[in-house]
Amino acid sequence: MAGLTPFTLITYTSRPFVTWIHLTLPPFARQSPKAALEYSRNLPENAMLQITFMRSTALPAKVEASIADLVPAKSMWRPVTFRWIGERVNRGSFLRPNPTDFYVRPTTGTGKEARDTIPGIWENVYKRIVGIESKAVEKWRK
């Protein structure tokens, strides 16, 4: 019991952390970075995000969520940025449940992950989900 308590606590508090989010782009938005950035500014309701997270076994798992099914959220006990709601939520199975609360940073990462991104796309998606602009976008607009 003494070994199970810390494992349960760490699993509960770190569960919402997201490792990757991929925006599924339609063919016209894949033509250039400028087209992808313009698409991210005017996301339709059916825009899909592939959210990759780590399970408690340290194995990655993915869920696909529509941008319309994501709403801003807060939690007193753990970091949460947005919540996956609606009838299309895939809760997983009893032994492998999928999270419905997620935590992400408001800006694109730096380092290795930055080379695979187009600057500005994540900030636009974050603004659409959470409804507020990140500090990086606010500085850029001034």
Side-chain angles (χ1 to χ4, degrees), residues 90-111:
N90 178 8
R91 297 200 185 276
S93 64
F94 176 73
L95 294 175
R96 293 185 62 175
N98 291 329
T100 56
D101 295 340
F102 299 99
Y103 172 77
V104 292
R105 294 181 296 191
T107 57
T108 304
T110 58

Side-chain angles (χ1 to χ4, degrees), residues 16-72:
F17 284 96
V18 173
T19 54
W20 290 96
I21 292 186
H22 294 99
L23 174 64
T24 305
L25 296 174
F28 73 87
R30 296 179 195 161
Q31 302 302 318
S32 68
K34 193 173 186 176
L37 192 58
E38 187 59 37
Y39 175 74
S40 73
R41 285 189 188 116
N42 304 309
L43 287 172
E45 293 291 319
N46 63 348
M48 295 299 288
L49 294 176
Q50 292 179 351
I51 303 169
T52 305
F53 61 94
M54 298 299 265
R55 295 198 180 276
S56 57
T57 57
L59 296 174
K62 273 187 201 174
V63 294
E64 283 196 14
S66 172
I67 198 119
D69 295 337
L70 302 174
V71 296

